[in-house]
Amino acid sequence: MITLFLSTKQIFTRAEEITILINKGAFIDVSGKVNDKVLLLESIANLKYIKDKSIPIQERALSLRPFQEKYDFLMIALMDKDGFTSSSLQGGLADLSDREYFKKVKTLKTNVISDVIISRTTGEKNIVIVHPFLDSEQNFDGAIFISIRLSDLISLKNSYGPSNKGYTTTILDDDMNVIAGDFKGDYLQLKNNLINNNPSGVFFKKRNGDLHFIAFNKKELSNWYIITDLNISQYFFGTLASTLIVIFVFVILFLMIFKSFDVNKKIEIQPLLDSLNQDYLSGTYNRKYLEEYIKNYFKKEKLENHKSAFIILDIDNFKSINDELGHTTGDYVIKESADKIKDIFYENSVISRIGGDEFIIFIENIENDKIIINKIKSLLTLMNTSYGRDEKNVKISASIGITFTTNNNSTFIDLYNEADTALYKAKEAGKNCAYISNSINEPIIKLN
């Protein structure tokens, strides 16, 4: 009996740990994707011609079409301070001053995510992410927004833990409406009695004869709750053991099942922790990890003594891979591209996929710029290839933007914006090349 109760306590302790970790994994994944879109929107908003009011708003809006197509947004649009809006789709003017997201961004003067919008034509769930423009006196002076499919932002397949059995992950809005997933609990009770305005937490509950741990995290920008509901007995044992955990009547039978499923075997938490830092598709680090790594780098390094490189790589023609050869081939291209990057940058480097076909390479303690240039040339050569299926053939290459750490770019955002500007210039130069930001020598690196 002592063994029984000690083991039961272990089960509950581990169940709580795993519920929290699965929920944290989902939260990081969803938050990372939201943050990626916000960062991308801010980068587009910082382009000089986008804010140049000497250019008609319709013309500026239409110039955003390449970004819409590259990132597969439903649209990108510019709004003036009165809510008149021009999009990358049509370039006309529409009055959106009555939209809640416009009222909110005008009042708060900060990034805003709209409530879920149901498309009248497709029935798809969409959201709008809005970034404000402020004048020199910090008054609201218009905005830029992107409209995206919710499915592009959230893909809940219960893939955040070591098993896909016995738990569900759901996203609810502030009114407990389901945005994604399938939470079976009492939404109102969850709202009023359990979450109670706390940004995160975990609680234990008995429901329908089963024992559950429920963990939650709140994404502040969107006011979404990420909920993980783990059925303890189903997760560890399956349906049969539910009764055995709730009522300890058949002790011998319980011990036999207990031994059969080897609950005493240690559940490894570290692999799950490690997985929270990784991009599931490419096997590289995710953006959250890279941001934290660079933040810590600037805390410990004196930049006058160390020089590091921040590199953004974008796969040219990747959209055609997905459109013509299918997303399975697209996934393969992402994985193979990641392997090529790892083959070249295997020392003093942190490699991250931050979304879509975009990779970042952060290289520390560079002794000679020529080493980086030679590695970039090798990578451009490896990336210059083609993929085919059913007599269809799509050629890809890479465009690369490079910047180096200085005393003027001491944050992830600083480095990203500089390298992203360089990436844009590489694309303007014809793609299949690299551009070095603020280079005193020839900024373009091309294959001979």
Side-chain angles (χ1 to χ4, degrees):
M1 290 297 291
I2 293 175
T3 304
L4 173 63
F5 284 105
L6 285 176
S7 299
T8 303
K9 183 177 179 181
Q10 287 178 337
I11 293 170
F12 275 62
T13 300
R14 291 170 186 169
E16 182 176 10
E17 289 176 338
I18 289 171
T19 307
I20 292 170
L21 285 171
I22 293 171
N23 185 252
K24 185 177 179 182
F27 179 76
I28 288 174
D29 184 51
V30 172
S31 297
K33 290 175 181 175
V34 172
N35 292 340
D36 284 347
K37 303 300 183 186
V38 172
L39 178 61
L40 180 58
L41 181 60
E42 289 176 346
S43 298
I44 296 171
N46 283 328
L47 295 172
K48 290 182 180 179
Y49 69 88
I50 296 301
K51 295 185 285 187
D52 187 351
K53 289 191 174 182
S54 66
I55 304 172
I57 189 172
Q58 297 96 323
E59 186 177 331
R60 285 181 280 146
L62 286 174
S63 73
L64 293 170
R65 176 69 71 86
F67 293 104
Q68 175 201 331
E69 294 175 348
K70 172 177 170 53
Y71 296 106
D72 202 23
F73 300 142
L74 294 174
M75 76 165 71
I76 310 180
L78 294 174
M79 316 178 85
D80 68 16
K81 62 183 179 181
D82 298 315
F84 286 97
T85 303
S86 184
S87 78
S88 55
L89 292 174
Q90 298 176 343
L93 276 178
D95 184 0
L96 301 186
S97 59
D98 62 338
R99 304 297 168 90
E100 286 301 318
Y101 55 81
F102 174 75
K103 296 175 183 177
K104 197 170 181 180
V105 76
K106 186 174 183 178
T107 302
L108 299 178
K109 295 185 286 189
T110 189
N111 294 328
V112 166
I113 295 182
S114 74
D115 293 332
V116 175
I117 302 167
I118 306 297
S119 170
R120 294 178 182 177
T121 55
T122 66
E124 288 183 302
K125 293 181 178 181
N126 307 323
I127 62 166
V128 171
I129 302 178
V130 196
H131 175 75
F133 294 126
L134 305 179
D135 63 20
S136 58
E137 296 180 355
Q138 299 301 296
N139 296 314
F140 179 75
D141 197 30
I144 180 172
F145 72 77
I146 53 176
S147 178
I148 56 179
R149 301 173 189 86
L150 194 64
S151 59
D152 292 341
L153 203 61
I154 300 168
S155 179
L156 293 180
K157 298 178 181 177
N158 292 326
S159 58
Y160 300 106
S163 166
N164 62 359
K165 180 181 180 182
Y167 66 88
T168 59
T169 302
T170 307
I171 298 180
L172 308 174
D173 67 16
D174 209 27
D175 295 320
M176 299 292 104
N177 298 311
V178 176
I179 294 175
D182 187 23
F183 180 64
K184 298 295 187 183
D186 185 332
Y187 301 150
L188 192 60
Q189 185 181 24
L190 190 65
K191 169 76 172 178
N192 295 335
N193 300 328
L194 300 169
I195 293 179
N196 220 14
N197 293 323
N198 292 323
S200 63
V202 62
F203 56 88
F204 174 78
K205 186 174 179 61
K206 182 178 178 181
R207 187 168 68 242
N208 298 328
D210 289 330
L211 305 177
H212 295 252
F213 270 110
I214 300 173
F216 61 90
N217 265 289
K218 186 174 185 180
K219 176 66 180 166
E220 291 299 336
L221 180 59
S222 55
N223 285 329
W224 293 345
Y225 287 104
I226 291 86
I227 310 290
T228 297
D229 184 337
L230 185 141
N231 183 321
I232 298 171
S233 48
Q234 185 180 353
Y235 184 88
F236 286 103
F237 304 103
T239 307
L240 175 62
S242 299
T243 305
L244 299 177
I245 294 177
V246 178
I247 54 172
F248 303 108
V249 178
F250 301 103
V251 176
I252 301 299
L253 178 60
F254 178 85
L255 290 174
M256 290 173 62
I257 296 175
F258 186 82
K259 183 177 180 181
S260 173
F261 285 90
D262 199 11
V263 178
N264 284 314
K265 183 178 179 180
K266 183 179 179 182
I267 297 174
E268 294 294 339
I269 298 298
Q270 190 58 46
L272 182 55
L273 284 171
D274 292 341
S275 72
L276 299 183
N277 293 324
Q278 287 188 326
D279 171 62
Y280 73 97
L281 180 59
S282 65
T284 64
Y285 288 110
N286 57 28
R287 175 181 166 165
K288 181 73 175 177
Y289 176 85
L290 181 64
E291 285 187 4
E292 288 298 320
Y293 187 93
I294 290 177
K295 183 191 294 184
N296 292 330
Y297 166 82
F298 281 115
K299 284 180 181 179
K300 69 182 181 180
E301 297 291 352
K302 293 182 178 179
L303 298 184
E304 61 267 22
N305 298 326
H306 296 89
K307 183 179 182 180
S308 297
F310 187 98
I311 300 168
I312 298 180
L313 180 146
D314 201 54
I315 302 175
D316 300 326
N317 213 23
F318 182 72
K319 189 174 186 299
S320 295
I321 291 283
N322 281 332
D323 291 346
E324 298 182 30
L325 304 182
H327 287 274
T328 300
T329 304
D331 289 349
Y332 176 78
V333 171
I334 291 294
K335 293 174 184 177
E336 189 171 72
S337 298
D339 290 339
K340 291 175 180 178
I341 296 170
K342 293 174 190 175
D343 287 343
I344 300 295
F345 296 98
Y346 54 86
E347 290 182 327
N348 300 326
S349 302
V350 178
I351 301 166
S352 169
R353 174 174 170 255
I354 64 169
D357 58 321
E358 196 163 84
F359 291 87
I360 290 178
I361 309 138
F362 184 68
I363 310 160
E364 295 185 53
N365 303 329
I366 298 169
E367 297 179 359
N368 191 325
D369 290 1
K370 290 183 179 180
I371 296 175
I372 297 297
I373 291 172
N374 289 336
K375 285 180 176 289
I376 291 294
K377 287 182 177 180
S378 298
L379 184 57
L380 287 170
T381 301
L382 285 179
M383 292 295 297
N384 200 331
T385 186
S386 60
Y387 295 86
R389 194 188 70 183
D390 299 333
E391 298 183 355
K392 294 181 180 178
N393 196 64
V394 179
K395 183 176 176 60
I396 68 165
S397 56
S399 294
I400 298 173
I402 308 166
T403 192
F404 294 97
T405 53
T406 68
N407 290 320
N408 296 321
N409 56 11
S410 56
T411 67
F412 175 89
I413 295 294
D414 292 339
L415 291 168
Y416 183 92
N417 285 337
E418 287 184 12
D420 193 50
T421 300
L423 174 66
Y424 185 77
K425 291 181 179 179
K427 289 183 176 294
E428 281 187 327
K431 303 182 180 180
N432 193 24
C433 65
Y435 191 95
I436 303 174
S437 175
N438 301 321
S439 174
I440 59 174
N441 300 311
E442 173 57 44
I444 293 286
I445 302 173
K446 289 187 175 183
L447 297 175
N448 295 328

